[in-house]
Amino acid sequence: MLNFTIRRLIQIPLVMLVLSVIVIGLTQLLSPEQRAAPYIRSEQQAARLEQIITERGLRDPFPVQYGRWFSNTIRGDLGFSKASGKDVIPTIQERLPNTIELTLVTALPILLLSIWLGTLSALHKDKLLDQILRVLVVFGYSLPTFVLGIVLLAVFYAYLGWLPGAGQLEIINQFAVGDLRRYTGMMSIDAALNGRWDIAWDALRHMILPAVTLMIVLSANLVKVMRNSMLEVLTSDYVRTARAKGLSSRVVNGKHARRNALLPIVTLGGFLVIGLLGGSIITETIFAYPGIGQWFVQSALQLDIAGVLGFTLLSALLVVVMSTAVDILYGVIDPRVRFH
């Protein structure tokens, strides 16, 4: 296990290096004028477009441009994001905690709910409860995220007025944010640490509709996979042996069957977290939630190359790190797994 972990950790920078070459190479499909756009912030700069292209070396050979980008990246300079009006690194530092906060509110309930409902559906196979759950899974799996988000906004914000709509805070609380001492960058946690429970509650209320949207859409597939995995495990030899030894159904289902049925959920759960941390692009856009997913959409619409590159490399890093973590977790859950 230790050797496997070390090998995977060594692979992370190598994979990121290859991915960076591919991503930077794709930007060469754009003209130098298009790649110079993020550096133009005024009409005066637009008048000296050719000078900017020359100064930035946008007509240099690709190896030269990549070497320059890599050197800047090592120094922590990923360029200026036109969409946010800030450098890429400060933008990520500002927005990523918001996405992490939404992930913390969403991921654990999704995993727990999916495991519980999938187990219930498998244990009541072909009964009424199983049929109801399977219909709900199909409904959640086929429902587009943007449709569900708009419906929830229309019902609970516009019609009933029970929950807030877009944004992260009410306008009155946005003026008080500047007085908060920031510890984690996550609004609800920092507000609570500053004793501003009103702001913390406001931030949590604004996350309810985005979180519910993600829970309904993303849990559907996990419930289906958990049900199928549980049904397969329940028919295995070691489960039948455990029942023949006189163990109770609760022990057999909970300790022997469910634990081994969790292996597919570990993989899907890892990629679920990757997707949430990478910014739930559609959800953050619908609810105007200031996470990195919303920033990516704004960057793409404005042809903000530096912003798109920053988001892409961050997402790639999350995928590589979480994939390694999932592989390691496999050996923890199932001792039969061996790494060579």
Side-chain angles (χ1 to χ4, degrees), residues 106 144-150 152-153 207-219 283 286-287:
T106 307
T145 305
F146 68 91
V147 172
L148 178 59
I150 293 173
L152 292 179
L153 275 174
M207 285 189 287
I208 292 177
L209 289 181
V212 170
T213 301
L214 292 170
M215 287 175 62
I216 292 176
V217 174
L218 297 179
S219 62
T283 304
I286 291 174
F287 293 96

Side-chain angles (χ1 to χ4, degrees), residues 62-112:
F62 171 69
V64 176
Q65 293 189 48
Y66 178 80
R68 185 185 305 116
W69 175 87
F70 185 80
S71 176
N72 292 334
T73 301
I74 293 298
R75 296 197 302 267
D77 180 13
L78 288 176
F80 178 82
S81 173
K82 183 170 63 174
S84 65
K86 303 176 183 178
D87 288 342
V88 171
I89 294 296
T91 301
I92 293 176
Q93 291 174 339
E94 176 185 327
R95 288 179 172 264
L96 184 57
N98 296 332
T99 299
I100 292 176
E101 186 176 21
L102 182 60
T103 299
L104 293 176
V105 172
T106 307
L108 186 59
I110 288 178
L111 292 174
L112 295 179

Side-chain angles (χ1 to χ4, degrees), residues 30 144 167 244:
L30 300 173

Side-chain angles (χ1 to χ4, degrees), residues 21-160:
V21 172
I22 295 174
V23 172
I24 300 300
L26 290 175
T27 64
Q28 301 302 302
L29 298 176
L30 300 173
S31 66
E33 289 77 12
Q34 290 174 315
R35 285 183 279 126
Y39 305 108
I40 299 176
R41 310 175 193 178
S42 64
E43 294 183 3
Q44 291 77 10
Q45 289 178 321
R48 42 188 291 268
L49 175 62
E50 282 300 323
Q51 182 180 349
I52 292 176
I53 292 176
T54 303
E55 291 175 351
R56 298 287 179 174
L58 299 181
R59 298 191 192 278
D60 293 342
F62 171 69
V64 176
Q65 293 189 48
Y66 178 80
R68 185 185 305 116
W69 175 87
F70 185 80
S71 176
N72 292 334
T73 301
I74 293 298
R75 296 197 302 267
D77 180 13
L78 288 176
F80 178 82
S81 173
K82 183 170 63 174
S84 65
K86 303 176 183 178
D87 288 342
V88 171
I89 294 296
T91 301
I92 293 176
Q93 291 174 339
E94 176 185 327
R95 288 179 172 264
L96 184 57
N98 296 332
T99 299
I100 292 176
E101 186 176 21
L102 182 60
T103 299
L104 293 176
V105 172
T106 307
L108 186 59
I110 288 178
L111 292 174
L112 295 179
L113 183 65
S114 300
I115 293 172
W116 179 54
L117 292 180
T119 302
L120 279 181
S121 183
L123 295 178
H124 297 81
K125 180 184 177 182
D126 296 332
K127 296 182 181 178
L128 178 61
L129 178 60
D130 181 36
Q131 299 294 341
I132 294 174
L133 290 175
R134 290 167 67 181
V135 170
L136 293 177
V137 164
V138 173
F139 175 77
Y141 191 75
S142 60
L143 189 64
T145 305
F146 68 91
V147 172
L148 178 59
I150 293 173
V151 169
L152 292 179
L153 275 174
V155 174
F156 293 99
Y157 168 64
Y159 181 70
L160 297 176

Side-chain angles (χ1 to χ4, degrees), residues 15 45 47 53 92 157 197-198 221 227 237 252 298 305 318:
V15 172
Q45 289 178 321
I53 292 176
I92 293 176
Y157 168 64
W197 296 101
D198 55 330
N221 187 45
R227 176 185 182 274
D237 292 336
V252 172
Q298 295 172 348
I305 299 175
L318 291 173

